[in-house]
Amino acid sequence: MRTPLDVPPLAELAARLGLTVGRGGFGPCPVCGAVRRGRGDPRPPLIIYRGGGWGCLAGCHLGDGKSSTGGDAVALLAYVRCGEQPRAGDPRWPAILAELRGADPVPVSRSAPRPAPPVAAPDPGPDRAEVAALWAACTPLDMLKDNDPALRWLRCRGLSVEGIAALDLARAMPAAGKLPPWVPTLGIVNATWRAVYRFAAPVYDARGALAALRFRAVDSYPPAGLNVPPPGCRFEDRNGRRVLVAPLWTPHGEPVRGETDLPKALAARGCGRAAGLVLADPVGLDLLRGAVKDVWRWDGRVIIVEGETDLWAVSTVKSRGNNGTSYAVFGHMAGAWTAAHAARIPDGARVMVATDDDGPGNLYFETVKATLRHRCKVGRERRNNA
């Protein structure tokens, strides 16, 4: 049914169809009806990918709940005229293809558009005074004993304890004291939680203000050489990988309610996908604050990685400070990068996005590239996430 055609560029076709074409995208989405990307991002929801395809960044999906809306020029016209992608042999295809070849539009039956996904009000996140107080109560890594299991874990992963401590990229959680309600304790035994989630990492808003903490487990996926689980926990082999399992908390005298798998990292409550918070090294933090310090003479490069351990690794490589200059490093979580972050990157910067070679990694790269289009050179380093 579908045959190769000489089709107009997507931006030209979108304008012909009456869609609003602006910098960084076009819209509204012909499937979900969204006129902006949501989550505080006012840009049009549809972007054009390298190679000519397009996709919706407003969060709409096709009927299977997994496949994101998008496609090529033919798909765009089909969605606009029909509200869906007709199957092969559908009688509406001849009119769609004729219009794509330049014929006048012919009315075709259109399915009712799916409702736009609800955009929840942004969560204010943790109280920032409480965040600062907990961060101040954490222990700098260079004050821990050299045989501390947390430091052994870092070294087993080839990470520089000295470098992380010098840049203050992480600290050890306090061994005692009441935790604020925004700390996700998972309902497991308090002593177990503290033994597992030893590391706190600061995350910042687009202006470089400390906004929350992330908590990184020491033993959820233990490297070779760490074979003793925390008290009350056990390791379980699943598909060739050890997973840490911990008991759930129950009141004294009552039977244990069960066990839970422990994720390797936890975000503060209220700091999920919509929070727009990133990890940053000192140079990246200065870029967000608009004041690169002379001691960190920025060399014009920005590296964006996934998660805490990649940030720690890239920020502390020995070759980083050649000739007294250095690059900036940001660590992201899903959905964290926004146009507000991109606005803090100076024009002409060379940006490298080092993400996993998978769907979320590809989408994140496209998001970063779209926010920096025409201002910065954006490259990609694909990483194996197996």
Side-chain angles (χ1 to χ4, degrees):
M1 179 59 218
R2 296 274 297 275
T3 58
L5 297 169
D6 292 328
V7 298
L10 275 168
E12 177 184 324
L13 177 62
R16 183 196 303 174
L17 294 173
L19 301 178
T20 300
V21 180
R23 182 176 179 181
F26 61 98
C29 176
V31 177
C32 69
V35 297
R36 60 187 180 90
R37 297 181 192 179
R39 302 193 184 102
D41 190 341
R43 291 173 300 164
L46 307 180
I47 65 169
I48 300 175
Y49 296 121
R50 179 179 299 174
W54 62 277
C56 177
L57 296 184
C60 74
H61 293 83
L62 301 180
D64 59 7
K66 299 178 180 179
S67 305
S68 296
T69 303
D72 56 10
V74 182
L76 177 62
L77 181 57
Y79 279 125
V80 169
R81 297 303 183 209
C82 304
E84 62 183 350
Q85 180 83 309
R87 295 184 178 182
D90 190 292
R92 293 174 289 183
W93 273 119
I96 294 171
L97 299 181
E99 181 180 347
L100 198 66
R101 295 188 179 98
D104 292 335
V106 176
V108 294
S109 59
R110 178 179 175 85
S111 303
R114 295 182 178 89
V119 179
D123 193 308
D127 179 86
R128 297 200 175 188
E130 290 183 347
V131 173
L134 181 55
W135 179 241
C138 292
T139 304
L141 298 189
D142 54 6
M143 295 182 62
L144 297 178
K145 294 182 179 180
D146 193 59
N147 63 348
D148 189 289
L151 302 188
R152 295 204 309 270
W153 182 85
L154 289 172
R155 293 184 178 116
C156 283
R157 297 182 70 94
L159 296 168
S160 169
V161 173
E162 297 74 18
I164 295 171
L167 300 179
D168 206 18
L169 301 176
R171 298 179 185 177
M173 286 289 289
K178 185 178 180 180
L179 296 175
W182 45 267
V183 175
T185 55
L186 306 178
I188 64 176
V189 178
N190 185 279
T192 296
W193 192 94
R194 290 179 183 274
V196 174
Y197 294 99
R198 290 292 309 282
F199 297 115
V203 289
Y204 304 93
D205 63 18
R207 293 285 178 174
L210 177 63
L213 300 178
R214 279 179 61 83
F215 308 97
R216 186 58 164 83
V218 173
D219 287 310
S220 60
Y221 295 117
L226 290 178
N227 299 311
V228 180
C233 301
R234 62 184 176 83
F235 289 134
E236 187 173 293
D237 290 328
R238 297 183 184 172
N239 298 322
R241 173 176 258 185
R242 286 192 300 172
V243 176
L244 186 66
V245 179
L248 294 166
W249 179 86
T250 52
H252 181 70
E254 294 186 11
V256 176
R257 290 186 293 139
E259 296 179 322
T260 182
D261 298 354
L262 298 184
K264 60 184 178 181
L266 297 171
R269 292 191 178 99
C271 295
R273 295 178 59 87
L277 305 179
V278 295
L279 301 151
D281 77 326
V283 187
L285 193 55
D286 285 342
L287 286 183
L288 294 180
R289 293 171 176 171
V292 176
K293 300 175 181 177
D294 289 339
V295 69
W296 291 104
R297 291 195 304 172
W298 182 51
D299 64 7
R301 292 182 294 163
V302 174
I303 301 177
I304 302 175
V305 299
E306 292 191 84
E308 301 82 14
T309 54
D310 281 355
L311 178 96
W312 299 342
V314 175
S315 298
T316 59
V317 296
K318 293 182 179 179
S319 60
R320 178 179 181 181
N322 287 340
N323 302 320
T325 64
S326 185
Y327 48 78
V329 188
F330 294 104
H332 73 79
M333 289 65 67
W337 188 268
T338 66
H341 295 95
R344 313 304 292 173
I345 306 300
D347 291 353
R350 293 162 293 163
V351 180
M352 176 61 67
V353 182
T355 56
D356 289 341
D357 190 10
D358 56 14
N362 297 337
L363 180 59
Y364 205 88
F365 167 66
E366 295 292 347
T367 301
V368 172
K369 186 174 68 171
T371 61
L372 295 170
R373 192 181 302 276
H374 307 308
R375 294 202 304 111
C376 304
K377 182 178 180 180
V378 183
R380 172 80 184 277
E381 177 184 328
R382 297 177 184 270
R383 298 196 170 186
N384 187 350
N385 64 335

